[in-house]
Amino acid sequence: MSSIFTKIIRGELPCYKIDETDDCFAFLDVNPNRKGHTLCILKKEVDYIFDLNNYSPISFRVKGTIFDEFLTPQISADGLSKMTNRVSKFNYDSHVHSLPKKRLNAFMDWEHNGYLLSLITRYIDGYTNQRPIIGLGASLGYKNKVDSFLVFDISARKSIDLDEGNINFGIAIINALDESAPRLYDAPDFSFDTRVHDPRGRLVNLNLEYNF
């Protein structure tokens, strides 16, 4: 008996289709957690996941946050305390606690021919610094807005079994497209969100382990 998803793919049940490939079908959820909630399913119908013997194992995970409002007290110019929304604004007390409106991490692992191939996508929304930039900061080209930032990390790992123990080796390219960290002027601290932005640019890591 066909499942509800098979009927959607065949067009027997209505849906709002987002995209379709030879293997997958993506459409909007009828009971979304929030606007834009999308389901992506395989076109192949099986009773158990173990029946997917023609596919290399792939895992895909997405973690994200969206802030609409985060109110904290702030002393205004007239000396009065008022509640201020900190979302999408720079945090001068601790820049690593700045609150970009959107933050998204996506992880995909693919096991193929004995290798574990991984792709990590990291996205952070832009946020602003409301202090004016004058003098030296302006002359050096600093600005009061951190642009949105998208970074891709790629890695490959393989494990080889030996008579005694095993060898694990891997290579990883962090920030594969060599995106530069944004510069935001707030003398004396030239700051950015260190959890996402790394001033070193593209990094290549090699790893070799021998377990016995």
Side-chain angles (χ1 to χ4, degrees):
M1 181 177 179
S2 298
S3 70
I4 185 174
F5 296 117
T6 298
K7 292 179 180 179
I8 290 174
I9 293 171
R10 292 174 180 171
E12 298 171 5
L13 292 176
C15 76
Y16 188 95
K17 184 171 71 172
I18 299 297
D19 198 7
E20 182 179 5
T21 67
D22 292 338
D23 298 317
C24 299
F25 190 92
F27 58 98
L28 291 180
D29 196 321
V30 294
N31 295 306
N33 290 331
R34 63 179 299 117
K35 185 177 180 180
H37 183 183
T38 302
L39 298 179
C40 184
I41 60 176
L42 287 174
K43 289 184 175 179
K44 181 180 177 64
E45 181 177 346
V46 295
D47 293 327
Y48 302 98
I49 190 171
F50 302 105
D51 294 334
L52 291 171
N53 51 16
N54 292 327
Y55 291 83
S56 297
I58 295 178
S59 66
F60 183 74
R61 308 179 305 281
V62 176
K63 297 181 179 180
T65 57
I66 298 179
F67 284 104
D68 290 321
E69 187 177 65
F70 187 85
L71 300 177
T72 60
Q74 182 180 20
I75 304 299
S76 61
D78 55 10
L80 299 177
S81 177
K82 64 178 183 179
M83 300 303 290
T84 301
N85 187 9
R86 296 290 184 180
V87 174
S88 297
K89 294 179 181 177
F90 191 74
N91 186 331
Y92 297 101
D93 297 322
S94 178
H95 66 266
V96 298
H97 293 150
S98 295
L99 290 175
K101 184 176 179 62
K102 301 182 183 70
R103 185 189 299 272
L104 180 69
N105 294 325
F107 309 86
M108 183 172 70
D109 297 326
W110 180 31
E111 295 184 27
H112 185 66
N113 292 335
Y115 289 89
L116 177 60
L117 308 175
S118 300
L119 172 65
I120 300 176
T121 302
R122 295 177 283 135
Y123 171 81
I124 184 172
D125 206 11
Y127 50 94
T128 59
N129 175 349
Q130 295 183 333
R131 295 185 184 179
I133 299 177
I134 58 176
L136 179 61
S139 66
L140 293 176
Y142 284 86
K143 55 186 178 178
N144 59 4
K145 176 175 172 54
V146 172
D147 295 327
S148 60
F149 195 68
L150 180 64
V151 177
F152 297 94
D153 303 334
I154 303 171
S155 66
R157 287 168 286 173
K158 184 174 178 63
S159 178
I160 300 177
D161 293 327
L162 306 174
D163 292 336
E164 296 183 1
N166 61 69
I167 293 177
N168 298 316
F169 67 90
I171 181 173
I173 303 176
I174 310 301
N175 190 1
L177 301 182
D178 198 23
E179 293 288 338
S180 298
R183 302 190 303 172
L184 186 144
Y185 182 75
D186 181 32
D189 184 21
F190 297 82
S191 302
F192 42 81
D193 192 329
T194 56
R195 292 173 297 176
V196 176
H197 307 307
D198 191 322
R200 295 174 295 177
R202 182 190 296 119
L203 300 174
V204 178
N205 297 333
L206 297 175
N207 182 63
L208 179 64
E209 294 180 352
Y210 175 49
N211 301 310
F212 56 92

